[in-house]
Amino acid sequence: MSSSFGTLFKVTTFGESHGRGVGAVVDGCPAGLALSPQEIQAQLDRRRPGQSSLTTPRREQDEIEILSGLEEGLTLGTPIALLVYNRNQRPGDYGAMSEIPRPSHADYTYRMKYGRMSRSGGGRASARETLARVAAGAVAEKFLRERFGIEIVAWVSRVGEITAEIDEECVNRELVDREAIRCPEPQAAARMTALVEEVKAARDSIGGIVTCICRQVPAGWGEPVFDKLEAKLAQAMLSLPAARGFAVGSGFAAAAMRGSAHNDPFVAGPDRTLKTSANRSGGIQGGISNGMPIRFEVAFKPAPTIGLPQETVDYDGRPVTLEGKGRHDPCVLPRAVPVVEAMAALVLADLALRQNAARCD
Amino acid sequence: MSSSFGTLFKVTTFGESHGRGVGAVVDGCPAGLALSPQEIQAQLDRRRPGQSSLTTPRREQDEIEILSGLEEGLTLGTPIALLVYNRNQRPGDYGAMSEIPRPSHADYTYRMKYGRMSRSGGGRASARETLARVAAGAVAEKFLRERFGIEIVAWVSRVGEITAEIDEECVNRELVDREAIRCPEPQAAARMTALVEEVKAARDSIGGIVTCICRQVPAGWGEPVFDKLEAKLAQAMLSLPAARGFAVGSGFAAAAMRGSAHNDPFVAGPDRTLKTSANRSGGIQGGISNGMPIRFEVAFKPAPTIGLPQETVDYDGRPVTLEGKGRHDPCVLPRAVPVVEAMAALVLADLALRQNAARCD
Amino acid sequence: MSSSFGTLFKVTTFGESHGRGVGAVVDGCPAGLALSPQEIQAQLDRRRPGQSSLTTPRREQDEIEILSGLEEGLTLGTPIALLVYNRNQRPGDYGAMSEIPRPSHADYTYRMKYGRMSRSGGGRASARETLARVAAGAVAEKFLRERFGIEIVAWVSRVGEITAEIDEECVNRELVDREAIRCPEPQAAARMTALVEEVKAARDSIGGIVTCICRQVPAGWGEPVFDKLEAKLAQAMLSLPAARGFAVGSGFAAAAMRGSAHNDPFVAGPDRTLKTSANRSGGIQGGISNGMPIRFEVAFKPAPTIGLPQETVDYDGRPVTLEGKGRHDPCVLPRAVPVVEAMAALVLADLALRQNAARCD
Amino acid sequence: MSSSFGTLFKVTTFGESHGRGVGAVVDGCPAGLALSPQEIQAQLDRRRPGQSSLTTPRREQDEIEILSGLEEGLTLGTPIALLVYNRNQRPGDYGAMSEIPRPSHADYTYRMKYGRMSRSGGGRASARETLARVAAGAVAEKFLRERFGIEIVAWVSRVGEITAEIDEECVNRELVDREAIRCPEPQAAARMTALVEEVKAARDSIGGIVTCICRQVPAGWGEPVFDKLEAKLAQAMLSLPAARGFAVGSGFAAAAMRGSAHNDPFVAGPDRTLKTSANRSGGIQGGISNGMPIRFEVAFKPAPTIGLPQETVDYDGRPVTLEGKGRHDPCVLPRAVPVVEAMAALVLADLALRQNAARCD
């Protein structure tokens, strides 16, 4: 297990989907930061199942409790322990499957790794673990916003074959949340919504892409050579359930371009800084932020839990037809939006402290 | 700086492109492994500039020296220090640029981060740093091959718009190295080669994609939740100069798929294990290897150093026309192949030891 | 803050003495280990205040809750979250002191470090934090006992000027716990008890030494050169509140010895191993266990909280007379015994996994 | 192996005593620090064998080479690789012993750990490894001195039964180096010298204590709860060959004291800070520096290599008489002085950066 992330702003998560609770310990958050449970709850509510007809009908209350690290609404500089008790445990839904490894789930690999397997539905591979990341990420985000004015916005830019064209300079969370599908472009959102409902009716699932922008990140963040800003973002995003790809700036499209068309020319910026007239670098050069918006995409596969029957084998290799009964999301993308934001915040908060460390003037 | 990678099989690299040398310390390699300088040199030679007309005409000898950790051809379990002296130092090539941050290079961001800048050509952001990774990766690869029979093969699957269709089950390094472009499909290779020569003549550069397969990786490797196998691969690959994207298994194509088409059904495998009849998961489920081949892609942008004149500004914001004079690669892809293999080996060797640690039977 | 300890068997603690609770997350404990709350509770009860007239009259129930990582009494290999709610919060006892930094407490240094200070009595510097270590250590100890047969026993070997001569080969926890003072030699125990009662009546406090033995530790544990077994033990012990010194084997007495008298000669042991005929090395040579009992001592200063008036200054430098009102221990030694055992277990469990990692046969 | 130390200011050492060389990579040293090989060489010369008749007659030149991280005499912020080639290799001295594990050496434990053993004289357990620490520590010390005015002084305070009374407020390196024994009190120094010469003539060895003071350390350094300042110092010191004990402030004497006598009362200090009128805390309270001098002691056992015959057994358990032939130190203490200073500097530099990190104002 490796349930910790970060060097100085460090989060450790715990909890199985059907155990007593899920939580996180945030160690290294500077002292004196104003923080309330409501700020964390707000992001948890965006991740919560049962928000709309597009997500799983499971209703989880997901009430955050702050167990330590705060006094009179200010952080102490000590570990902030965050806990959400599980209230809606229905392990029975999963019990029938216990002899059959679900295709493209973690059942088989957990069994091969740990020699045994959580009977109760996926354990740490469950999307429920991301709740702890969102809670911890909300702390990181508060720190980044208050000390640096940083703004992080993610949205659903693609579902299946449907892609949205967004004005990326103006997009904000309010626009993103207008649609349950969390695509801020209304026409694409409508088509995406219809597609997800069709997929849901077919007892299937569908993949997509989340795009994320981080604004006002100061130049100089990111630690060459192994903890480059894009490298830590890539790790953070690929650690999410169902994530299959990561791209920064021009991403895979860069493969088809020439240097003369891809390079971002410098122009004069405010206060004797420089800007670039294009941002194909996605705000990062040499692994270090350059002051332009950080921009990246995360591709998610369709959730592996589907209602349709699947031909597979049990742990003994005997052919079986598997039919899902659990209540799951036809499309994880809308709920993935706050999770992507949380992981981006955790990466940036850690690199902020690391860059700060070396400034010994 | 974060020049170390790995938890148990740990590499630390050092050295600037135009300083005295470049090297690595590999700590945590198990004792008793047969290792020779020649095995390391072989991979270094595949990374070396000046191999063909497709790469930079700079000739670097890049002779590896093993300073520690070996006795009578066997590893001692102690740190293996690897050093390559720089022989072909021509800092003058870069001197003229020192007042002008090269577009899409790290000049500006290093200056913003460190408050100063290596006069001598890029320092740690230079591709020369990858030499140390290749040397360390050769040690990791030897360990993986000898103890587990693991085979790692990468190749150029795309240059610009030209994509190669490869028989991925059969591809090996011998096939890859038949063509200087390191694409094992001869017709695509010929077209890629022609394209690179055209780009070179135009004093421009071109991007592409490297695909990598790791065979015979045992099931059970990868540490949920933050050090999932694909998460560490993503970090490793995005830490490479010019890397812009990472995709595992079905990658970005998964975004357009439905679960019923994407799931990999299980079938009986040898020795009471299971296999999957397709491998859209890229050999990884829930962040843990499942015994199928690991498969991933890395997208590289076109190298930012070009001979064509570029309109940009100097550090004071004054417009200048920049004309490159250094000797650089029109296409980094062929030389990126052994670097991708090296980073994959470093990721796998570390996760091998971590998985082994928990087996206390 | 650095609230995590260990590389593979990793514990993260959280919680302030007068906040909502104190707890720990144990990540990296292998799967399949039988574990019950009762086993953890047993060690917590040995650390609990109010056990006897020798300790603080504060009564804390300290009931352990296991929030994750277990199923049907077996560890899953996932993080084990442990929580004890604080029930006996009386911050008022400390409120009066808030403008006066208590001599030899952490009040002043926390304020200098974090720019602010927990109003509620010491925060993370409180001995209550060690509760989380004891809980986590109980998990580590179970692992060590079940997989390797390791036995860890600590006892009070000195209080003030009174030193106990112990038969170290026979000492066990039952013998240690016969006396409230936790010294297994009855005559010394009686004198120590009388001394502590005298000190208590004088509203003062007294220091002492805890000695610890770890039996059946296999040869080969400890990671040269910076994570030598004695180095990690030293870090672990000096991280305890009030610890002032650490000595392994012959300790400070070695300073006065000659090599010819200090060296431990080898003799033949069972199963083609070697033993040593003396154990001045304390079971460790070159930072690695040699199969003999690990033996070390930890010196504790007298607890800084006393009832006697003290002449000091407030935060503004104005002279004040400070009179303590809180309920505190005249001698922390008896309650430090399970804490020392817990930290020893955490060190050994981590080094066990690290040694295991490199055995790739 | 765990050859790295530090979280932000990180050193990785490599090299066996009789291999090609010994060195270190210092990663995380801030940019813009003036640094010259001469500054490093000066401390190496203090550690060098053959300085006087009190140390081993082996003469090692130990010339430092800086391979990376510097340009025009200033650090770049990139890894600083330091290398000393071994010039005086006489593995023959040790060859005869290879079938006999030397008592209280690491021969046996290395063999048990790694399954094999460096034929060539001790490998990483050799005191020669400390050369790399001294080189890295000289970089750390320069950083601490230049940015914070910190001064670190260690000296030999005890050899065998001879203890020196020092005026600790005035002691400096010049005074320490006046005597080859590195005890700044001339009369004690003379007696220590006579004792070492007697021990040398007897082909034996003798232990002792090094005391160290770190002045001008700002209040606020040290990371509760596991990386407390004294905890990291304890790890650093116990990682040194032959170290057996560590004590901070009042140390083991605290065990015999009462709180009323041990507490350090506060008094007003300059610039609205506080000082303490005594320093039994050794400059650390709650794991955090309080602005007073850091003071600690390290006990060293007598070097295990002696000329006197020893009755022991070979690896097969057969009795043998072992007679040493190598050239070794009768007393390691004088040469341990710069090593203790180096490790103190590495601890402080890392905690300086970590404290700095959280200051995001």
Side-chain angles (χ1 to χ4, degrees):
Chain A
M1 268 288 146
S2 176
S3 299
S4 297
F5 186 75
T7 296
L8 295 180
F9 196 107
K10 192 183 321 198
V11 60
T12 301
T13 70
F14 61 87
E16 285 77 44
S17 49
H18 288 66
R20 290 202 47 205
V22 170
V25 180
V26 178
D27 197 18
C29 181
L33 181 75
L35 185 69
S36 72
Q38 290 73 33
E39 291 168 302
I40 298 172
Q41 191 67 49
Q43 277 292 76
L44 282 186
D45 289 346
R46 298 180 77 215
R47 196 213 71 94
R48 191 164 50 82
Q51 297 173 57
S52 77
S53 64
L54 297 179
T55 67
T56 169
R58 278 180 292 128
R59 295 197 67 85
E60 296 162 3
Q61 296 301 330
D62 293 352
E63 252 174 80
I64 193 73
E65 300 184 34
I66 304 181
L67 298 177
S68 67
L70 271 193
E71 195 173 78
E72 298 178 356
L74 295 175
T75 57
L76 290 166
T78 60
I80 302 166
L82 306 165
L83 176 62
V84 171
Y85 282 104
N86 293 334
R87 299 190 194 279
N88 189 15
Q89 302 174 23
R90 286 173 52 178
D93 282 5
Y94 297 83
M97 293 181 184
S98 65
E99 286 311 302
I100 307 166
R102 291 165 295 168
S104 292
H105 270 83
D107 300 346
Y108 177 71
T109 51
Y110 265 64
R111 189 166 190 159
M112 294 303 283
K113 183 173 191 65
Y114 296 106
R116 64 193 312 282
M117 160 83 194
S118 168
R119 195 179 43 112
S120 51
R124 293 285 283 164
S126 158
R128 188 156 176 80
E129 182 271 336
T130 62
L131 180 161
R133 306 181 187 223
V134 171
V139 179
E141 201 182 342
K142 184 70 190 295
F143 165 67
L144 294 167
R145 193 165 56 233
E146 194 161 284
R147 299 287 168 95
F148 302 99
I150 288 172
E151 188 187 14
I152 301 173
V153 187
W155 66 91
V156 176
S157 56
R158 178 167 180 168
V159 174
E161 300 282 5
I162 304 165
T163 304
E165 291 299 319
I166 309 290
D167 177 355
E168 299 193 355
E169 279 196 32
C170 300
V171 67
N172 59 37
R173 285 194 189 162
E174 199 191 328
L175 291 168
V176 169
D177 281 357
R178 276 197 197 153
E179 306 278 350
I181 193 76
R182 289 215 166 89
C183 170
E185 202 275 279
Q187 290 186 314
R191 292 170 58 214
M192 289 174 179
T193 303
L195 174 57
V196 173
E197 278 167 354
E198 175 206 321
V199 164
K200 183 183 176 186
R203 302 171 65 203
D204 211 337
S205 63
I206 186 91
I209 293 177
V210 170
T211 300
C212 184
I213 295 261
C214 309
R215 301 186 182 110
Q216 309 297 335
V217 176
W221 292 9
E223 296 295 316
V225 297
F226 292 110
D227 289 355
K228 286 175 173 163
L229 178 40
E230 65 269 53
K232 293 309 285 183
L233 284 171
Q235 178 190 359
M237 299 306 151
L238 266 296
S239 78
L240 295 175
R244 297 283 93 190
F246 170 85
V248 63
S250 52
F252 278 78
M257 294 177 75
R258 300 199 177 193
S260 55
H262 190 275
N263 282 355
D264 293 328
F266 285 106
V267 295
D271 298 327
R272 305 195 54 193
T273 63
L274 301 184
K275 294 194 305 177
T276 58
S277 58
N279 189 16
R280 287 172 287 260
S281 299
I284 309 174
Q285 282 159 344
I288 304 167
S289 60
N290 67 359
M292 299 291 291
I294 312 291
R295 185 197 188 279
F296 63 89
E297 299 183 355
V298 190
F300 291 92
K301 69 174 184 179
T305 306
I306 56 176
L308 287 170
Q310 301 180 75
E311 302 304 317
T312 184
V313 299
D314 65 14
Y315 280 114
D316 293 323
R318 288 175 301 219
V320 289
T321 301
L322 182 71
E323 218 160 323
K325 293 181 208 133
R327 301 155 300 165
H328 288 278
D329 289 65
C331 181
V332 299
L333 274 287
R335 292 177 57 211
V337 163
V339 184
V340 165
E341 291 168 345
M343 291 310 298
L346 289 170
V347 167
L348 290 174
D350 191 48
L351 293 175
L353 295 185
R354 291 168 81 175
Q355 170 62 0
N356 205 49
R359 293 260 167 114
C360 287
D361 313 322
Chain B
M1 267 291 145
S2 176
S3 299
S4 297
F5 186 76
T7 296
L8 295 180
F9 195 107
K10 192 183 319 198
V11 60
T12 301
T13 71
F14 62 87
E16 286 77 43
S17 48
H18 287 67
R20 290 202 46 205
V22 170
V25 180
V26 178
D27 197 18
C29 181
L33 182 75
L35 185 70
S36 72
Q38 290 73 30
E39 291 168 302
I40 298 171
Q41 191 66 50
Q43 278 292 78
L44 282 186
D45 289 346
R46 296 179 78 215
R47 197 213 71 92
R48 192 165 49 82
Q51 298 172 57
S52 78
S53 64
L54 298 179
T55 68
T56 167
R58 278 180 291 129
R59 295 198 67 86
E60 296 162 1
Q61 297 301 329
D62 294 351
E63 252 173 81
I64 193 73
E65 300 184 35
I66 303 181
L67 297 176
S68 68
L70 271 193
E71 195 173 78
E72 297 177 0
L74 294 174
T75 57
L76 290 165
T78 60
I80 303 166
L82 306 165
L83 176 62
V84 172
Y85 281 104
N86 293 333
R87 300 190 194 280
N88 189 14
Q89 302 174 24
R90 287 172 52 177
D93 280 6
Y94 298 83
M97 293 180 183
S98 64
E99 286 310 302
I100 306 165
R102 291 166 294 168
S104 291
H105 270 82
D107 300 346
Y108 177 69
T109 52
Y110 265 64
R111 187 165 192 161
M112 294 303 281
K113 182 172 192 66
Y114 297 106
R116 64 193 312 282
M117 160 81 195
S118 169
R119 195 178 44 111
S120 51
R124 295 285 283 164
S126 158
R128 188 156 177 82
E129 182 271 337
T130 62
L131 179 159
R133 305 180 188 223
V134 170
V139 179
E141 201 182 341
K142 184 71 191 294
F143 165 68
L144 294 167
R145 192 166 55 234
E146 194 161 285
R147 299 289 166 96
F148 302 98
I150 288 172
E151 187 186 17
I152 301 173
V153 188
W155 66 91
V156 176
S157 56
R158 177 167 179 168
V159 173
E161 300 281 5
I162 305 165
T163 305
E165 293 298 319
I166 309 291
D167 178 355
E168 299 192 356
E169 279 195 33
C170 300
V171 65
N172 58 37
R173 285 194 189 162
E174 200 192 326
L175 291 169
V176 170
D177 282 356
R178 277 199 195 152
E179 307 278 350
I181 193 76
R182 290 217 165 88
C183 171
E185 201 276 280
Q187 290 186 313
R191 292 169 58 215
M192 289 174 180
T193 303
L195 174 57
V196 172
E197 278 168 354
E198 174 205 324
V199 164
K200 183 183 177 187
R203 301 172 67 201
D204 211 339
S205 64
I206 186 93
I209 293 177
V210 170
T211 301
C212 183
I213 295 261
C214 309
R215 302 186 182 108
Q216 310 297 336
V217 176
W221 293 9
E223 297 295 314
V225 297
F226 292 110
D227 290 354
K228 285 176 173 164
L229 178 40
E230 65 269 53
K232 293 310 285 183
L233 284 172
Q235 178 190 1
M237 299 306 151
L238 264 296
S239 78
L240 295 175
R244 297 284 93 191
F246 171 85
V248 62
S250 51
F252 278 79
M257 294 178 74
R258 299 197 178 195
S260 55
H262 189 276
N263 282 355
D264 293 329
F266 285 106
V267 295
D271 298 327
R272 305 195 54 194
T273 63
L274 301 184
K275 295 194 305 178
T276 58
S277 58
N279 189 17
R280 287 173 286 260
S281 299
I284 308 174
Q285 283 159 342
I288 303 166
S289 61
N290 66 359
M292 300 291 291
I294 312 291
R295 185 197 188 279
F296 63 87
E297 299 183 354
V298 189
F300 291 91
K301 69 174 183 179
T305 305
I306 55 177
L308 287 170
Q310 301 179 75
E311 301 304 317
T312 183
V313 298
D314 65 14
Y315 281 114
D316 293 322
R318 288 175 301 219
V320 289
T321 302
L322 183 71
E323 218 160 324
K325 291 179 211 137
R327 301 154 298 164
H328 289 277
D329 289 66
C331 180
V332 298
L333 276 287
R335 292 177 57 210
V337 162
V339 185
V340 165
E341 291 169 345
M343 291 309 298
L346 289 170
V347 167
L348 290 173
D350 190 48
L351 293 175
L353 295 185
R354 290 168 81 176
Q355 170 62 359
N356 204 48
R359 295 259 166 114
C360 286
D361 314 323
Chain C
M1 269 287 144
S2 175
S3 299
S4 296
F5 187 75
T7 296
L8 294 181
F9 195 107
K10 192 181 324 197
V11 59
T12 301
T13 71
F14 61 86
E16 285 77 44
S17 49
H18 288 66
R20 289 200 50 204
V22 170
V25 180
V26 178
D27 197 18
C29 182
L33 181 75
L35 184 69
S36 72
Q38 289 74 32
E39 291 168 302
I40 298 172
Q41 191 68 48
Q43 277 294 74
L44 282 186
D45 289 347
R46 296 180 79 215
R47 197 213 69 94
R48 192 164 49 83
Q51 297 173 57
S52 79
S53 63
L54 298 179
T55 67
T56 169
R58 279 179 292 126
R59 295 198 67 85
E60 296 163 2
Q61 297 300 329
D62 293 352
E63 254 174 79
I64 193 71
E65 299 185 36
I66 304 180
L67 298 176
S68 67
L70 272 193
E71 195 174 78
E72 297 176 358
L74 295 175
T75 57
L76 290 165
T78 60
I80 302 167
L82 306 165
L83 176 61
V84 171
Y85 281 105
N86 293 334
R87 299 191 194 279
N88 188 15
Q89 302 174 22
R90 286 172 51 176
D93 280 4
Y94 299 83
M97 292 181 186
S98 63
E99 286 310 303
I100 307 167
R102 291 166 295 168
S104 292
H105 269 84
D107 300 346
Y108 176 70
T109 51
Y110 265 64
R111 188 166 190 160
M112 293 303 282
K113 182 173 190 67
Y114 296 107
R116 63 192 313 279
M117 160 81 195
S118 169
R119 194 178 43 112
S120 51
R124 294 285 284 165
S126 159
R128 190 160 174 79
E129 182 270 335
T130 62
L131 180 162
R133 304 181 187 221
V134 171
V139 179
E141 202 182 340
K142 184 71 190 294
F143 166 67
L144 294 167
R145 195 165 54 233
E146 194 161 284
R147 299 289 166 94
F148 302 99
I150 288 172
E151 188 187 13
I152 301 173
V153 187
W155 66 91
V156 176
S157 57
R158 178 168 180 169
V159 174
E161 300 282 3
I162 304 165
T163 304
E165 291 298 319
I166 309 291
D167 178 355
E168 300 193 353
E169 280 196 31
C170 300
V171 65
N172 60 37
R173 284 193 190 164
E174 200 191 328
L175 290 169
V176 170
D177 282 357
R178 278 199 195 152
E179 307 278 351
I181 193 76
R182 287 213 168 91
C183 170
E185 202 276 278
Q187 291 186 312
R191 292 169 60 212
M192 289 173 178
T193 304
L195 174 57
V196 171
E197 278 168 354
E198 175 206 322
V199 163
K200 184 183 176 188
R203 302 172 67 199
D204 211 340
S205 63
I206 186 93
I209 293 178
V210 170
T211 300
C212 184
I213 295 263
C214 310
R215 302 188 181 106
Q216 310 296 337
V217 176
W221 293 10
E223 296 295 316
V225 297
F226 293 110
D227 290 354
K228 287 176 173 164
L229 179 39
E230 66 268 55
K232 293 310 283 183
L233 284 172
Q235 178 190 1
M237 298 307 150
L238 265 297
S239 79
L240 294 176
R244 296 283 92 189
F246 171 85
V248 63
S250 51
F252 277 78
M257 294 178 75
R258 297 197 180 197
S260 54
H262 190 275
N263 281 355
D264 293 328
F266 285 106
V267 295
D271 299 327
R272 305 195 54 192
T273 62
L274 302 184
K275 294 194 306 178
T276 57
S277 58
N279 189 17
R280 287 173 286 260
S281 299
I284 308 174
Q285 283 159 342
I288 304 167
S289 60
N290 66 359
M292 299 291 290
I294 312 291
R295 186 196 187 280
F296 63 89
E297 299 183 355
V298 190
F300 291 92
K301 69 173 183 179
T305 305
I306 56 176
L308 287 170
Q310 299 180 75
E311 302 304 317
T312 183
V313 299
D314 66 13
Y315 280 114
D316 293 323
R318 289 174 301 218
V320 289
T321 301
L322 182 71
E323 220 160 321
K325 293 181 209 133
R327 300 155 301 165
H328 288 279
D329 288 65
C331 181
V332 299
L333 275 287
R335 293 176 57 210
V337 163
V339 185
V340 165
E341 291 169 346
M343 291 309 298
L346 289 170
V347 167
L348 290 174
D350 191 48
L351 293 175
L353 296 184
R354 290 167 81 175
Q355 171 62 358
N356 204 49
R359 293 261 166 110
C360 287
D361 312 322
Chain D
M1 269 290 145
S2 176
S3 299
S4 296
F5 186 76
T7 297
L8 295 180
F9 195 106
K10 194 182 321 198
V11 60
T12 301
T13 70
F14 61 87
E16 285 77 43
S17 50
H18 288 66
R20 291 201 47 206
V22 169
V25 180
V26 178
D27 197 19
C29 182
L33 182 74
L35 185 70
S36 72
Q38 290 74 29
E39 291 168 302
I40 298 171
Q41 191 67 49
Q43 277 293 76
L44 282 185
D45 289 346
R46 297 180 79 215
R47 197 213 70 94
R48 193 165 48 82
Q51 297 173 57
S52 78
S53 63
L54 298 179
T55 67
T56 170
R58 278 179 291 126
R59 296 198 66 86
E60 296 163 1
Q61 297 302 329
D62 294 350
E63 253 175 80
I64 193 71
E65 300 185 35
I66 303 180
L67 298 176
S68 66
L70 271 193
E71 195 173 78
E72 297 177 0
L74 295 175
T75 57
L76 290 164
T78 60
I80 303 167
L82 305 165
L83 176 62
V84 172
Y85 280 104
N86 293 334
R87 299 192 194 278
N88 189 15
Q89 303 174 23
R90 288 172 49 178
D93 280 4
Y94 298 83
M97 294 181 184
S98 64
E99 285 311 302
I100 307 167
R102 291 166 295 167
S104 292
H105 269 85
D107 299 347
Y108 177 70
T109 52
Y110 266 63
R111 188 165 191 159
M112 294 303 283
K113 182 173 191 67
Y114 296 107
R116 64 192 312 281
M117 161 81 195
S118 169
R119 196 179 42 112
S120 51
R124 294 285 283 166
S126 159
R128 189 158 175 80
E129 181 271 336
T130 62
L131 180 161
R133 304 180 188 222
V134 170
V139 179
E141 201 182 340
K142 184 70 190 295
F143 165 67
L144 294 167
R145 195 166 54 232
E146 194 160 285
R147 299 288 166 97
F148 303 99
I150 288 173
E151 187 187 14
I152 300 172
V153 187
W155 65 92
V156 176
S157 56
R158 177 169 180 167
V159 174
E161 300 282 4
I162 305 166
T163 304
E165 292 298 319
I166 309 290
D167 177 355
E168 300 193 355
E169 279 196 33
C170 300
V171 67
N172 59 39
R173 285 194 190 162
E174 199 190 328
L175 291 170
V176 170
D177 282 356
R178 277 198 195 153
E179 307 278 350
I181 193 76
R182 288 213 169 90
C183 170
E185 201 276 281
Q187 291 186 312
R191 293 170 58 213
M192 289 173 179
T193 303
L195 174 58
V196 172
E197 277 168 356
E198 175 206 322
V199 163
K200 184 183 174 187
R203 302 172 67 200
D204 211 339
S205 63
I206 185 94
I209 294 178
V210 170
T211 301
C212 183
I213 296 260
C214 309
R215 301 187 182 107
Q216 309 298 335
V217 176
W221 293 9
E223 297 294 315
V225 299
F226 293 110
D227 290 355
K228 286 175 173 164
L229 178 40
E230 66 268 55
K232 294 309 285 184
L233 284 172
Q235 177 190 1
M237 298 307 150
L238 266 295
S239 79
L240 295 176
R244 296 284 91 189
F246 171 85
V248 63
S250 51
F252 278 77
M257 294 177 76
R258 299 198 178 194
S260 54
H262 190 276
N263 282 356
D264 293 329
F266 284 106
V267 294
D271 299 328
R272 304 194 55 190
T273 63
L274 301 184
K275 295 194 303 179
T276 57
S277 58
N279 190 16
R280 288 174 285 262
S281 299
I284 309 175
Q285 284 159 342
I288 304 167
S289 60
N290 67 358
M292 299 292 290
I294 311 291
R295 186 197 187 280
F296 64 89
E297 299 182 355
V298 190
F300 290 92
K301 69 172 184 181
T305 305
I306 56 177
L308 287 170
Q310 300 180 77
E311 301 304 316
T312 183
V313 299
D314 66 12
Y315 280 114
D316 293 323
R318 289 175 302 219
V320 290
T321 301
L322 183 71
E323 219 160 323
K325 292 181 212 136
R327 300 155 298 164
H328 289 279
D329 288 65
C331 180
V332 298
L333 276 286
R335 294 176 56 210
V337 163
V339 185
V340 165
E341 291 169 345
M343 292 309 298
L346 289 170
V347 167
L348 290 173
D350 190 48
L351 293 175
L353 295 184
R354 290 167 81 176
Q355 171 62 359
N356 205 48
R359 294 259 167 111
C360 287
D361 313 322

